Amino acid sequence: MRGSVHASADGLWFNLRVAPGALTVDSPPDSDALLVQGGQIAWVGRLADAVLPPATPRHDAGGCWLTPGLIDCHTHLVYGGQRANEFALRLAGASYEEVARAGGGIVSSVRATREASEDELLASASARLQSLLAEGVCAIEIKSGYGLSLAHERKQLRVARRLGELHGLTVRTTFLGAHALPPEYAGRSADYVDLVCREMLPALAAEGLVDAVDVFCERIAFSLAETEQVFQAAQALGLPVKLHAEQLSDMGGAALAARYGALSCDHIEHLSAEGIAAMRRSGTVAVLLPGAFYTLRDTQVPPIQALREAGVPMAVSTDHNPGTSPALSLLLMVNMACTLFRLTVPEALAGVTRHAAQALGLQDSHGQLGPGRPANWVLWPVGEVAELAYWLGQRPRPTVVRQGRITQTP
């Protein structure tokens, strides 16, 4: 019977088939076993070479494929309400920008989020999170940006922190105060950006609620100059930045973000050669969001081959949000990254493990498995690793080890 057991994962795990790229470079490439002690990976190698302390528990993996815990590196998981009506409007012919200018879009989620209590937001986000956890997600990024005032941005970020504590997973919080103009600042973009930089960000950072800072840089959102103002405020506080970049047009945001050493640039359908070159130099990750591309029925595919040739790491994420990517399956995004964007299976799997970890600044602890790293992994009962990208709607029933605990079994 499938269940959540929350037992210690300490002991020897053997009879593993290790997925390509799952291990750190200092691990033997022919490994088929690993040892967990105190929630950390203590040893990786061949079962025949294992030297075990007395009475070490043993866990037979049954020949399952081993991958690192999956990472959803771009989400807007905490919000009030939903926007199915806008989905219908777009199907009837309205564009994303037309919906936004008519008072829908992000601002409609702002109203619902402001009206919801912290506990109500926690309950709704927890329900959505369960779908991601069932697929082996062990780390997730959660953005604010539906509060657009200090009190309500704080409420979102507090819920994000509580989700990590409640569900025992790694949560990285991103302050996205510069997501849209709140109604009370209509026509006063400069004043609102000043509020974000001078009041909201410093207060939330002081409360320990912010791990990174993001901006929606686009014609319907914030300009390059306003984006740089927010980046400068983040830099002054020692916080890394990332960017919603080049989703609807080429604003030059990726090159700007790269100048500030951005962790990632996300969406990037309209990314230019100059942007790619800047990201390569800065080590910025390209985060691909096929769920939004699919939902918006976009036709401008990100420049995958150019990114590949430049050696820019490519991550893949759900971009879960109520308006443009109501996706709650990271494995479906892996499939879409392959079918819509033409990633290979190894590229797509790296996109939800080691490259996703890099996009969150977690590359030293997440995304790959090796000695000294936390025990975060998934055992997949499939015949081939490619099945993780192949099936549509049929979820494998994995064993999930999250933060050193067995949190799910078939």
Side-chain angles (χ1 to χ4, degrees):
M1 177 181 294
R2 189 179 192 180
S4 296
V5 292
H6 298 279
S8 171
D10 280 12
L12 178 72
W13 292 75
F14 64 97
N15 197 8
L16 303 165
R17 290 190 290 172
V18 180
L23 301 180
T24 55
V25 294
D26 57 346
S27 301
D30 57 349
S31 299
D32 62 357
L34 54 80
L35 178 66
V36 178
Q37 294 177 329
Q40 301 282 318
I41 300 172
W43 171 85
V44 177
R46 289 195 55 78
L47 178 60
D49 300 328
V51 178
L52 304 176
T56 299
R58 290 174 174 259
H59 306 274
D60 188 342
C64 288
W65 283 98
L66 173 72
T67 71
L70 305 189
I71 300 169
D72 199 352
C73 65
H74 180 131
T75 85
H76 306 253
L77 194 70
V78 177
Y79 56 84
Q82 45 80 19
R83 280 153 56 190
N85 62 315
E86 293 179 19
F87 177 70
L89 286 173
R90 287 198 302 273
L91 290 176
S95 70
Y96 181 82
E97 295 183 28
E98 288 168 342
V99 169
R101 291 192 176 112
I106 293 167
V107 174
S108 66
S109 289
V110 171
R111 289 193 294 268
T113 302
R114 288 180 172 184
E115 291 169 0
S117 70
E118 185 173 315
D119 286 343
E120 288 170 336
L121 291 174
L122 179 67
S124 63
S126 290
R128 292 188 285 267
L129 181 59
Q130 291 301 325
S131 295
L132 297 169
L133 295 179
E135 289 189 346
V137 168
C138 292
I140 188 170
E141 185 244 27
I142 301 177
K143 302 179 189 292
S144 66
Y146 291 129
L148 306 187
S149 71
L150 177 56
H152 295 295
E153 290 286 296
R154 176 187 288 121
K155 180 171 63 174
Q156 280 192 275
L157 293 168
R158 280 176 50 85
V159 169
R161 287 280 192 245
R162 289 176 66 186
L163 286 168
E165 296 165 2
L166 180 64
H167 296 281
L169 82 159
T170 302
V171 172
R172 300 294 282 181
T173 57
T174 296
F175 172 65
L176 184 56
H179 196 196
L181 279 181
E184 62 270 24
Y185 278 86
R188 295 192 294 138
S189 179
D191 291 341
Y192 179 66
V193 172
D194 191 62
L195 176 73
V196 165
C197 295
R198 294 180 180 272
E199 180 180 337
M200 294 167 66
L201 177 54
L204 296 171
E207 294 170 28
L209 293 174
V210 181
D211 295 321
V213 177
D214 196 354
V215 178
F216 185 17
C217 181
E218 194 52 76
R219 294 185 307 244
I220 60 172
F222 295 93
S223 69
L224 274 177
E226 291 165 336
T227 297
E228 184 162 24
Q229 187 178 342
V230 176
F231 282 180
Q232 289 172 346
Q235 187 177 63
L237 294 167
L239 293 169
V241 300
K242 49 180 51 193
L243 190 66
H244 282 62
E246 274 72 272
Q247 179 185 11
L248 306 175
S249 62
D250 181 9
M251 295 274 290
L256 171 66
R259 289 204 299 276
Y260 282 83
L263 291 171
S264 70
C265 290
D266 305 30
H267 287 291
I268 60 165
E269 283 85 349
H270 295 265
L271 182 63
S272 67
E274 292 76 16
I276 293 172
M279 291 172 66
R280 178 185 56 77
R281 289 192 297 269
S282 65
T284 299
V285 177
V287 178
L288 308 175
L289 303 174
F293 176 91
Y294 173 82
T295 302
L296 292 171
R297 297 184 293 175
D298 204 346
T299 57
Q300 179 72 35
V301 177
I304 300 300
Q305 185 58 30
L307 288 164
R308 185 183 285 135
E309 291 173 354
V312 175
M314 293 180 284
V316 176
S317 182
T318 62
D319 186 22
H320 176 82
N321 74 80
T324 61
S325 188
L328 287 169
S329 171
L330 191 54
L331 290 182
L332 178 59
M333 299 303 102
V334 168
N335 174 277
M336 285 185 173
C338 294
T339 56
L340 300 179
F341 294 166
R342 301 296 190 265
L343 264 63
T344 66
V345 170
E347 285 175 334
L349 292 179
V352 294
T353 53
R354 66 180 185 274
H355 292 163
Q358 186 178 343
L360 297 181
L362 292 174
Q363 61 270 23
D364 292 335
S365 58
H366 291 65
Q368 288 188 298
L369 304 173
R373 289 181 171 237
N376 288 304
W377 70 70
V378 189
L379 293 172
W380 303 95
V382 296
E384 301 178 39
V385 173
E387 291 185 57
L388 301 181
Y390 168 69
W391 292 108
L392 292 174
Q394 176 177 303
R395 282 178 166 170
R397 295 180 174 235
T399 296
V400 180
V401 171
R402 187 181 295 115
Q403 295 187 347
R405 311 291 294 179
I406 305 169
T407 61
Q408 182 176 297
T409 58

